[in-house]
Amino acid sequence: IGVGLVSFGLFFLLFGILLYFDSVLLAFGNLLFLSGLVFIIGLRRTCTFFFQRPKLKGTSFFLGGLLVVLLRWPVLGMLLEAYGFISLFRSFFPVAFGFLGSLANIPLLSQV
């Protein structure tokens, strides 16, 4: 259920961006993505991930961007969310790029 919710959330986010930042689709995608994340890793782990002391700045930008999107300012909200997402998952990007580089056997991507 969680993987499906995250997948639909990412689909609605992409579809909302493609339709010139439609605020309803972006808000629905954000809510589906967060609820799917809760279903995948659990409520307690989700809260401990988002509310760790070093990640509070990224969490505040991400959740603030979600609130701004819900208040019908989609472009500004998505910019805030993007900054928050990058600062939250900064430590995960090298692992993901290494995995994709080894999976597709792309030497430049695995070095990044």
Side-chain angles (χ1 to χ4, degrees):
I1 293 174
V3 174
L5 287 173
V6 167
S7 302
F8 277 119
L10 292 176
F11 172 74
F12 279 112
L13 283 172
L14 179 67
F15 200 56
I17 290 171
L18 289 176
L19 289 176
Y20 299 112
F21 293 97
D22 183 28
S23 61
V24 174
L25 289 174
L26 291 174
F28 193 59
N30 282 325
L31 294 176
L32 283 176
F33 178 77
L34 288 177
S35 63
L37 192 63
V38 169
F39 269 100
I40 290 174
I41 63 175
L43 184 62
R44 179 173 289 164
R45 285 188 180 174
T46 303
C47 288
T48 55
F49 173 76
F50 277 107
F51 297 110
Q52 292 175 2
R53 189 148 180 79
K55 295 182 180 184
L56 279 179
K57 182 175 134 181
T59 300
S60 63
F61 272 97
F62 185 76
L63 295 178
L66 176 67
L67 181 68
V68 171
V69 167
L70 289 174
L71 293 174
R72 304 269 178 151
W73 289 78
V75 176
L76 179 63
M78 288 305 291
L79 288 174
L80 291 173
E81 280 186 40
Y83 178 73
F85 185 81
I86 289 171
S87 64
L88 276 173
F89 295 101
R90 183 180 302 151
S91 63
F92 179 69
F93 289 136
V95 174
F97 286 148
F99 175 72
L100 289 175
S102 67
L103 184 68
N105 199 12
I106 301 171
L108 180 66
L109 190 60
S110 61
Q111 290 175 356
V112 171

